[in-house]
Amino acid sequence: MENQHLVIIGASISGLAAAAAASEHFARITLIERDRLVETAEPRAGVPQGTQIHALLPVGLERLEDLLPGVTDDLLAAGCDTFDEQADCPLLSSVGWRMRVKSLPTIAFRRPLLELVIRRRVLSLGNVTVVYGSARGLVLSDDQRRVEGVRLRDGSVIAADLVIDSSGRRTRSPDWLTEHGYDKPTEVRAEAYMGYATQFVRIPEDVLGDIRGIVALPIPGHLKGGVLLPADNGVHSLSAVGMMRDYPPREQGAFLEFLDQAPTPLLGAIARRSEPVSDIRIYHQAGNLRRKWEAVVGPDRFLAVGDAVASFNPVYGQGITLAASAGTLLREALAAGPTLDGLGRRVQDMLANIVDDAFSMSAAVDATFPGVQLVNFTAPTDEEIRIATALEELATVDAKISYALGEATWYIRPEVLETPEVHASVERWLAAGRTAAQIDPARYPQEVIELDGVLQ
């Protein structure tokens, strides 16, 4: 039996998802992890963004549930809650408030709790164990054509029939491959130098009314923004967000003043009526990074997933969803069999299609900021920006367009914006020379629209 041992570098959510996907197809699965994993919802040193606001797209929750049936109930039992972001969290774009539209729910959480719940489920599978240590290289066959294990910092080797790299954005796998004569994957970057400052808060019941949060991200020409989303156990995540090195501060007073300068004054007003339950934690990231592993002529029996493949501006909520997506693709490939030979390449190719859709959306938005640094990525054309602006303008008055924009982002389905109906709406809007009506940034739409036939 060749499917004896799977070794996964990193017990992150992407690594856990891969273990869940492969558990029925391997006799043993070993997770190599540097951080000590504890039975409490504590941030880990290996997840520097773990103290920041997080989101899980509805399609990501569906795929996690598919990998670990019942995990949604586990999260709810741990104090998480469900919410409908398109209906419950008004979004202020560069041209106005999108219409609020009923859509499919997702889960509210803090990252350490989500990871703890998933980790408990995966480690209870029976054939999954954790080895604490740091990976320091890949072990290849004598002919250098196949990965056969992982070398640890202490010099020991863990033999494997398949190796998966889920070690994150700072993966060393590209360097390890060069040691064996292979090329590094090409990197695609859109660096808008974003910064976050997040505090978890309790909000009195009379403050929010019928909403659960507010999204008012930075835009070109207005580099300060903020996001408020529900988390777990009665707590909200409150984040100040800055672009192009306009970093939000960690001091309480300055943090509130930064939120006052977001596109809507509501965030600062809500923050002042909230009770902090944590310190303010900051996190800086250069920007979106994509490694084109699918284009590398590399050794067999190797697969990269998670942030080792692509990491995004965290506010778009795509990372955890793509981790779950990689897990579902891995499980499908293993079920198809009959051999592990070529499996890493097949999964890497399939994953590339999903990653490209997510990356193109997030990087395209960040690429519109003056001064952004682009590597192997082309900024949107003036015509593409004109169409995107028209879509946002339409979303302030057309519930179907508002829903389509949400579906494109939160379900990673950009193709929904390419339908004949959407194109016709944009053409009529532009032909009429219309623009969004003047809006009040302090007054979000009160009505939630329920469309027929869209929640399939």
Side-chain angles (χ1 to χ4, degrees):
M1 179 181 179
E2 69 168 351
N3 293 25
Q4 285 290 321
H5 192 201
L6 167 63
V7 173
I8 302 172
I9 306 171
S12 62
I13 290 178
S14 60
L16 295 170
S23 62
E24 295 181 359
H25 300 277
F26 284 86
R28 294 186 298 131
I29 298 175
T30 298
L31 291 159
I32 301 173
E33 176 54 49
R34 292 178 302 175
D35 294 338
R36 284 285 164 180
L37 304 176
V38 297
E39 271 296 303
T40 54
E42 300 295 331
R44 294 194 293 115
V47 186
Q49 74 276 25
T51 59
Q52 299 301 311
I53 193 167
H54 274 74
L56 176 60
L57 308 183
V59 67
L61 180 60
E62 292 171 7
R63 289 171 182 167
L64 271 181
E65 181 67 26
D66 188 46
L67 289 171
L68 294 166
V71 72
T72 303
D73 289 338
D74 292 345
L75 289 165
L76 294 175
C80 298
D81 196 4
T82 58
F83 73 109
D84 178 344
E85 186 162 350
Q86 286 189 262
D88 297 336
C89 301
L91 185 153
L92 181 61
S93 74
S94 61
V95 298
W97 295 100
R98 286 186 189 175
M99 294 190 74
R100 296 168 62 190
V101 185
K102 188 173 179 61
S103 66
L104 294 175
T106 188
I107 202 84
F109 63 94
R110 281 173 281 188
R111 168 66 183 254
L113 180 59
L114 176 73
E115 193 170 304
L116 175 63
V117 170
I118 295 172
R119 185 167 66 242
R120 283 174 173 169
R121 286 292 305 274
V122 170
L123 295 184
S124 71
L125 291 172
N127 62 339
V128 181
T129 58
V130 177
V131 169
Y132 292 106
S134 295
R136 284 296 180 266
L138 298 172
V139 178
L140 270 62
S141 58
D142 291 341
D143 61 9
Q144 301 293 293
R145 293 182 178 179
R146 183 163 114 172
V147 174
E148 293 187 339
V150 177
R151 179 173 288 104
L152 301 185
R153 184 168 60 181
D154 63 8
S156 63
V157 171
I158 302 179
D161 298 295
L162 176 68
V163 172
I164 296 178
D165 177 11
S166 68
S167 60
R169 182 182 177 101
R170 298 181 179 179
T171 176
R172 294 293 309 281
S173 286
D175 296 322
W176 297 339
L177 288 178
T178 63
E179 295 172 0
H180 296 277
Y182 291 99
D183 293 331
K184 293 182 180 181
T186 298
E187 292 187 350
V188 183
R189 294 176 179 267
E191 297 181 334
Y193 298 97
M194 66 274 308
Y196 297 81
T198 295
Q199 185 170 54
F200 297 103
V201 299
R202 293 192 187 277
I203 303 175
E205 292 183 3
D206 62 334
V207 172
L208 292 181
D210 73 327
I211 66 172
R212 305 285 302 280
I214 290 177
V215 179
L217 298 177
I219 56 176
H222 194 131
L223 301 180
K224 293 180 172 66
V227 182
L228 175 72
L229 291 179
D232 58 75
N233 293 285
V235 168
H236 275 72
S237 305
L238 177 63
S239 289
V241 184
M243 301 291 280
M244 300 311 301
R245 295 189 173 92
D246 193 348
Y247 297 134
R250 69 168 78 237
E251 296 77 23
Q252 189 71 39
F255 173 74
L256 295 174
E257 291 174 1
F258 190 102
L259 286 171
D260 288 336
Q261 298 175 69
T264 172
L266 295 174
L267 286 167
I270 293 169
R272 283 176 165 76
R273 297 184 63 187
S274 302
E275 174 194 354
V277 298
S278 77
D279 294 333
I280 298 168
R281 300 290 185 89
I282 61 172
Y283 175 69
H284 298 166
Q285 180 175 293
N288 305 277
L289 169 63
R290 161 92 161 94
R291 293 185 177 94
K292 298 185 75 70
W293 286 103
E294 72 281 3
V296 172
V297 178
D300 200 5
R301 304 291 184 97
F302 175 80
L303 170 65
V305 298
D307 284 6
V309 176
S311 59
F312 308 87
N313 185 334
V315 80
Y316 300 131
Q318 296 166 317
I320 298 173
T321 293
L322 289 174
S325 298
T328 59
L329 293 174
L330 174 62
R331 187 178 63 180
E332 291 168 4
L334 287 168
T339 174
L340 293 178
D341 291 338
L343 180 137
R345 168 61 55 200
R346 293 194 299 275
V347 177
Q348 206 78 71
D349 289 346
M350 291 187 292
L351 181 59
N353 295 326
I354 302 175
V355 170
D356 278 343
D357 283 342
F359 191 87
S360 64
M361 287 188 289
S362 60
V365 173
D366 290 354
T368 61
F369 285 86
V372 66
Q373 295 184 3
L374 304 178
V375 178
N376 297 318
F377 186 81
T378 302
T381 65
D382 290 344
E383 179 62 15
E384 288 170 335
I385 293 173
R386 181 170 172 257
I387 292 171
T389 301
L391 284 167
E392 286 292 0
E393 291 172 343
L394 276 162
T396 67
V397 295
D398 187 325
K400 289 184 178 179
I401 298 296
S402 181
Y403 181 85
L405 282 169
E407 184 176 6
T409 303
W410 290 309
Y411 295 86
I412 313 182
R413 295 186 60 203
E415 66 271 16
V416 302
L417 299 178
E418 300 296 333
T419 65
E421 181 181 8
V422 171
H423 279 300
S425 295
V426 171
E427 289 172 3
R428 287 193 299 269
W429 183 268
L430 292 174
R434 299 183 63 183
T435 59
Q438 186 173 3
I439 56 98
D440 182 349
R443 292 180 62 85
Y444 55 81
Q446 298 297 307
E447 184 181 9
V448 176
I449 306 298
E450 184 168 357
L451 299 173
D452 293 332
V454 299
L455 300 181
Q456 303 303 319

